[in-house]
Amino acid sequence: MTVGTTGDGRQLGEGRPTLKQQLFSTTLDNGIVVLGERLAGLESAAIAFHLPAGAFYDGTGRCGLATLAGEMMLRGAGARTSREVIESLEGAGVQWAHSVSTSHSSFAGAMVARQLIPALPIYADIVRRPRLPADELEPARQMVLRNLAGTEDDPAHRAMASLRQLHYPSPWGMPAEGISADVADLGIGEVREFVARRVIPTGTIIAVAGRIDWPEVVDRIAALFGDWTSAGDAPVATGPRGPRVRHVPHDSQQTHIALGWSAPPYASDDSYEASAALAILGGGSSSRLFTEVRERRGLCYSVSAGYHTLRDHAMAVCYSGTSAARAQETLDVMLAEIERLPGTLEPAELERVKARAKSALVMQQESSAARAGDIARRWYHLQSMRSLAEELERYDQLSVASIERWLAAHLPAGLSVVSLGREPLEVPDDIQA
Amino acid sequence: MTFRHERLPNGLEIVAEVTDDALSTSVGFFVRTGARDETDATWGVSHFLEHMVFKGTDHLSADEINRRFDWMGASANAFTNEEDTVYHAAVLPAQQHEATALLAEMMRPALRSEDFATEKLVILEEIRMYDDQPPFGADERCRAAFFGAHPLGRSVLGTVESIEALPVEAMRDYHRRRYAPGNIVLAATGAVDFPALVETARRHCGDWASLTDDAPRPVAAPRRGLERSLFETIVRPAATLAYGVRMSPGPAGDDTDRFAAKLLATVLGDDSGSRLYWALVDPGTAEQASCHHQDFRDAGLFTTQLACDAADAEDLLGQVTEIYAAAAPAGITTFELDQARNKLAGRVVLVGERPRRRLFSVGLEWARSGQYRSVADDLTIVEGLSLDDLHRVLSHWPLDGAGATVLAGPGTAGDGPDPVNPSVPAADDTQ
């Protein structure tokens, strides 16, 4: 077991206290990575378990298996019944959450700091001793199916999910929430087999943040998880991407437009350049898309651009929702702004992006839950911790020239476009190349 | 944490909850105006004006405002509800003056006709966006049914027709009357330099003329709601699920039982671990079944939200009412009380350590009541609530009593579930 500590201080604004970030990491002998960030100014603590059991491992025709398995893990664990699992967390005042992403099944909790150590055995039961009872399968399946039906009523979510499916090679782009026909067909045997195969120490990240006593937390986690062993799993083969352009018919007043092109994953050297370029395009209220699409023309209420990253793939994403009659003009203006971006970046635009990013980084230290999730995600991408000082340093290094270099090399080759609404939109052939 | 208060000669109030070692500062202007202060002719003006405030002043363009917020790394936004319009920014402490000064300047917008015409298109898009989303208008229709002709029944966004018909002159008049300094609170939380905040306010707000709004005082809201239950449906063929919203009367914002009402709603209908959760969500019967308590200055209500398959909707609305009906005779258990108190206490602490979340608690409370409650005060209130408090609220405000219910979905129809207890008295001001 190794323990590393990073402490750094950096002046953040005149006359204000120096921010002292304390980061910790250790790897248990069975491969579990335990990360910590002490935020002494907080009264709370948060924990996040990122288990390598995301939708990526669902398997062909089994889309939703990870989500169903995650739901089943909460339905009885160790000596606790399904109801006792939830009641024990809530009785301790834990704000709990479970979610499944492409890469992980995540169990998270935020609480008053003194409840962290007592909450650990509950999480150990959920993670290591889920009962996965056959009589809970049907209620869990119905819950997953109802949630899926709910996402059908969220047009913006559907447009973005469809874009990920189009753009990323399978299974990276498959919807984590599942596909109804697949979920309807899943059996208890598959769920148990999935949990045995994917809820394993190798690849598991446990992150704690807030008012924590790191040695105590590590001792307790080592005692509860140190003797956990598991077999390995076969690698997943990746498949083809979808078509470049798709229209999803939907009877709504607004048409939702989602478009994207390939960007470097977070671990790449130039991911900050990509992220900054997209922030200039559509990241704030002074961004180009907001100014040109909403402020100048009043075409929509929502328009934005951002950076979406998986481990091996990433995407530049733009979104807008607008009434059907104005959707074509909205798409045309969005495409024109993307095309206009290279060669026109202004230093003032970059300064604003830096200011927003730095400010957001600092303010994130006010939420133990946000920090626990963040250090876990960064470890997944980088296999190391990145301190706030390093992060700020990386933003300082950004220049108009470095972003222009990235744009010149990456600007949209092979744009994927999804429209969801009453009528399809015209997408110029030349941007689909 | 210390609380500070100051009042400028023109009536503008300045309040701050100062946490010296906080990493950020949040500031906001809380204007005591919203949908309930509108008339048929100005329906939607409060929210539309909130957008127009970002379109600039005589000396500032909209682009400059957007650039200045981004340049200072601010997380800035605004919202409008029935009683408040709030403009807020979270910044690093070094930007306190810059953020406050910019927001202050914005409170005196130019309201240019050409901006008004362009922004009207954005408002219409916002109306369409929400109309395409769950609960497909069921919430607004339900509030309209619950409050009837009272202004609290007005939707905040207005309608396509009311927005299209609104002239810019009506907005200018509304702004002149409602944005008087005596009707505004400047609030700040986090690492606040209070003397500097007051100085910024003096410099940028000190010359705002104090006006008296000569419009009639808002009508008091009905406290006990409806004489008989109402049920309406909205048909949306494209909807996958059905969405039900039910509203019944509850303690108002000036009633000390409002805290017990929130705890009761947690026991009965929190998003997880509540009676509705175990009966309807955990078995996978409903996608959502939850209850919360909302209070206005002089009215309060319990709102139940249900999302489920259309075929099950009316049956499940009936089950919800039965769960409520069973609560009073059988009572709430000590276990349920403890669980709910622990949950609420946890939430109070987690919200309490984020200045940008505290800003709303501090600012909205002061704007409404002129009172300040610290995180410790809130914890004391939560910990002091007893079973007697919950049972008193249950007997005064039966959630299964007369209420308004609206069901939106893909072709739902019918007369609605049979009301279990349709005969709750409808008298006003019975508290």
Side-chain angles (χ1 to χ4, degrees):
Chain A
M1 187 194 285
T2 56
V3 178
T5 301
T6 311
D8 55 66
R10 191 184 171 88
Q11 198 74 20
L12 292 158
E14 237 171 291
R16 282 291 154 194
T18 300
L19 187 71
K20 286 202 171 58
Q21 188 186 30
Q22 287 180 286
L23 294 174
F24 310 94
S25 67
T26 183
T27 304
L28 305 186
D29 292 337
N30 58 5
I32 295 178
V33 172
V34 188
L35 310 173
E37 176 165 348
R38 183 169 160 74
L39 301 158
L42 299 187
E43 298 295 325
S44 71
I47 188 158
F49 291 81
H50 284 219
L51 311 171
F56 181 74
Y57 304 99
D58 278 349
T60 310
R62 315 318 278 167
C63 190
L65 178 55
T67 291
L68 182 62
E71 175 53 38
M72 284 295 290
M73 288 171 72
L74 285 164
R75 291 181 179 249
R80 295 174 169 88
T81 63
S82 175
R83 190 163 177 144
E84 284 165 354
V85 168
I86 304 301
E87 286 178 346
S88 57
L89 287 171
E90 296 190 346
V94 177
Q95 313 257 299
W96 62 274
H98 169 247
S99 61
V100 173
S101 66
T102 304
S103 51
H104 293 103
S105 187
S106 303
F107 294 87
M111 63 214 85
V112 177
R114 65 173 180 279
Q115 298 289 2
L116 177 63
I117 297 294
L120 290 175
I122 311 170
Y123 281 104
D125 278 348
I126 295 169
V127 171
R128 295 193 57 185
R129 291 172 285 279
R131 293 179 179 182
L132 310 175
D135 61 358
E136 287 283 350
L137 180 71
E138 224 28 62
R141 185 207 310 280
Q142 291 307 317
M143 187 183 259
V144 172
L145 287 172
R146 293 288 171 291
N147 288 337
L148 264 171
T151 62
E152 287 293 298
D153 285 334
D154 182 345
H157 174 91
R158 283 177 65 190
M160 294 301 284
S162 187
L163 177 67
R164 284 197 292 275
Q165 211 171 338
L166 243 64
H167 191 82
Y168 291 131
S170 170
W172 288 102
M174 295 304 282
E177 63 265 27
I179 293 174
S180 297
D182 292 1
V183 172
D185 196 37
L186 296 171
I188 189 69
E190 284 174 280
V191 169
R192 289 174 179 156
E193 186 270 341
F194 180 84
V195 171
R197 181 161 58 86
R198 292 307 322 165
V199 180
I200 50 176
T202 310
T204 286
I205 303 166
I206 305 176
V208 289
R211 184 179 284 272
I212 57 164
D213 176 340
W214 172 249
E216 185 190 18
V217 170
V218 171
D219 279 356
R220 287 303 296 150
I221 288 177
L224 291 164
F225 295 90
D227 60 347
W228 184 21
T229 57
S230 59
D233 190 22
V236 177
T238 52
R241 295 169 174 220
R244 287 293 183 203
V245 177
R246 177 185 289 168
H247 175 71
V248 184
H250 183 65
D251 185 17
S252 51
Q253 298 184 66
Q254 287 199 319
T255 297
H256 299 262
I257 303 164
L259 49 90
W261 69 93
S262 293
Y266 181 70
S268 308
D269 287 341
D270 52 357
S271 66
Y272 285 72
E273 273 73 12
S275 181
L278 292 165
I280 290 171
L281 179 64
S285 57
S286 69
S287 69
R288 296 193 178 186
L289 287 179
F290 195 87
T291 304
E292 294 301 325
V293 181
R294 177 168 153 167
E295 297 284 80
R296 294 255 190 289
R297 295 175 177 81
L299 283 169
C300 66
Y301 176 73
S302 314
V303 62
S304 62
Y307 170 70
H308 180 262
T309 186
L310 301 167
R311 192 192 62 203
D312 299 349
H313 304 273
M315 182 167 41
V317 181
C318 303
Y319 165 81
S320 184
T322 183
S323 54
R326 310 162 82 203
Q328 186 66 51
E329 185 185 354
T330 301
L331 174 62
D332 295 345
V333 175
M334 289 168 81
L335 292 173
E337 285 306 313
I338 294 169
E339 200 177 3
R340 189 170 71 89
L341 198 59
T344 62
L345 300 184
E346 291 174 20
E349 290 181 303
L350 177 59
E351 287 313 306
R352 293 198 296 271
V353 164
K354 286 183 182 181
R356 276 164 45 82
K358 288 178 183 179
S359 182
L361 277 169
V362 174
M363 286 189 214
Q364 201 184 58
Q365 318 280 313
E366 291 173 339
S367 165
S368 54
R371 288 308 301 158
D374 192 76
I375 56 179
R377 275 190 298 277
R378 279 182 214 273
W379 185 281
Y380 168 66
H381 286 286
L382 302 172
Q383 303 295 303
S384 67
M385 298 191 95
R386 184 174 278 173
S387 71
L388 188 60
E390 290 171 291
E391 195 85 19
L392 294 172
E393 180 73 31
R394 191 62 189 82
Y395 277 101
D396 283 338
Q397 287 166 0
L398 285 172
S399 67
V400 166
S402 75
I403 300 170
E404 289 284 9
R405 273 197 299 279
W406 181 79
L407 277 173
H410 294 88
L411 198 68
L415 208 65
S416 301
V417 182
V418 171
S419 57
L420 183 144
R422 287 179 184 154
E423 299 290 338
L425 302 178
E426 273 181 42
V427 181
D429 290 339
D430 57 338
I431 62 152
Q432 300 172 48
Chain B
M1 257 181 219
T2 52
F3 178 73
R4 305 287 302 272
H5 172 234
E6 182 89 40
R7 188 185 166 101
L8 297 191
N10 63 7
L12 181 85
E13 295 202 73
I14 307 163
V15 296
E17 180 181 84
V18 182
T19 312
D20 286 328
D21 56 356
L23 298 172
S24 71
T25 305
S26 282
V27 293
F29 281 89
F30 292 72
V31 190
R32 292 188 194 92
T33 200
R36 73 177 293 172
D37 302 296
E38 300 168 358
T39 63
D40 287 348
T42 58
W43 190 0
V45 70
S46 310
H47 168 257
F48 191 167
L49 173 56
E50 174 228 296
H51 279 233
M52 288 298 293
V53 161
F54 285 84
K55 301 301 275 187
T57 69
D58 291 339
H59 309 290
L60 268 181
S61 70
D63 286 355
E64 280 173 281
I65 289 175
N66 291 333
R67 283 198 295 264
R68 275 172 64 176
F69 274 131
D70 281 354
W71 176 83
M72 63 181 102
S75 171
N77 212 331
F79 64 84
T80 307
N81 61 32
E82 290 80 1
E83 299 185 328
D84 310 280
T85 308
V86 179
Y87 303 85
H88 55 96
V91 290
L92 297 183
Q95 303 293 343
Q96 175 187 306
H97 168 75
E98 181 70 22
T100 312
L102 180 54
L103 285 169
E105 284 181 68
M106 289 163 58
M107 291 300 107
R108 292 295 175 260
L111 304 180
R112 287 177 278 262
S113 301
E114 56 275 26
D115 292 337
F116 183 83
T118 306
E119 199 60 21
K120 190 175 267 195
L121 301 173
V122 174
I123 302 287
L124 293 172
E125 287 299 337
E126 192 176 356
I127 292 173
R128 291 186 189 104
M129 178 184 81
Y130 284 114
D131 202 50
D132 276 349
Q133 289 175 3
F136 299 110
D139 48 350
E140 299 199 333
R141 181 84 74 83
C142 191
R143 206 144 41 73
F146 182 82
F147 283 110
H150 188 273
L152 277 173
R154 246 178 242 295
S155 73
V156 172
L157 291 178
T159 64
V160 168
E161 295 74 26
S162 75
I163 294 300
E164 278 177 345
L166 187 75
V168 68
E169 294 77 17
M171 181 180 285
R172 290 179 186 142
D173 175 64
Y174 179 88
H175 175 267
R176 186 186 57 76
R177 289 188 293 107
R178 303 299 307 171
Y179 280 54
N183 206 32
I184 301 180
V185 176
L186 166 59
T189 51
V192 181
D193 180 341
F194 190 71
L197 183 74
V198 173
E199 182 50 35
T200 304
R202 277 212 181 92
R203 215 184 316 156
H204 293 271
C205 317
D207 63 348
W208 293 353
S210 42
L211 287 172
T212 313
D213 187 352
D214 48 8
R217 296 294 306 156
V219 201
R223 294 207 172 225
R224 296 296 300 213
L226 305 164
E227 280 183 49
R228 59 184 182 82
S229 286
L230 301 171
F231 183 80
E232 294 179 26
T233 56
I234 297 172
V235 177
R236 291 301 177 89
T240 305
L241 293 177
Y243 298 87
V245 179
R246 178 188 154 79
M247 294 180 181
S248 67
D254 57 356
D255 184 337
T256 49
D257 266 346
R258 67 188 185 279
F259 303 111
K262 290 177 199 310
L263 193 69
L264 177 65
T266 307
V267 171
L268 296 177
D270 199 29
D271 286 335
S272 68
S274 64
R275 291 192 182 187
L276 292 185
Y277 176 84
W278 291 118
L280 301 175
V281 179
D282 181 71
T285 313
E287 195 257 343
Q288 183 195 7
S290 62
C291 173
H292 69 272
H293 171 260
Q294 185 183 11
D295 50 271
F296 302 100
R297 285 198 302 265
D298 48 4
L301 47 90
F302 289 101
T303 302
T304 302
Q305 290 170 292
L306 177 75
C308 61
D309 286 354
D312 302 333
E314 293 194 14
D315 176 46
L316 295 188
L317 282 169
Q319 286 189 40
V320 169
T321 320
E322 283 165 25
I323 289 167
Y324 291 158
I332 304 296
T333 67
T334 307
F335 179 78
E336 287 177 312
L337 172 74
D338 289 342
Q339 289 283 111
R341 275 199 306 218
N342 288 340
K343 268 199 229 182
L344 287 193
R347 285 174 199 169
V348 167
V349 170
L350 287 165
V351 168
E353 63 192 12
R354 305 198 71 181
R356 62 164 90 184
R357 301 280 300 276
R358 276 300 288 168
L359 179 74
F360 302 128
S361 310
V362 172
L364 290 171
E365 186 63 41
W366 192 270
R368 171 184 285 179
S369 68
Q371 289 175 356
Y372 164 73
R373 285 200 317 275
S374 67
V375 171
D377 293 337
D378 281 343
L379 284 174
T380 305
I381 289 170
V382 171
E383 278 153 19
L385 291 168
S386 68
L387 283 177
D388 285 348
D389 296 322
L390 297 191
H391 292 144
R392 185 177 59 254
V393 172
L394 264 177
S395 71
H396 281 190
W397 309 98
L399 278 81
D400 58 314
T405 305
V406 176
L407 187 57
T412 47
D415 301 325
D418 293 332
V420 174
N421 176 12
S423 58
V424 171
D428 288 352
D429 292 322
T430 51
Q431 282 295 285

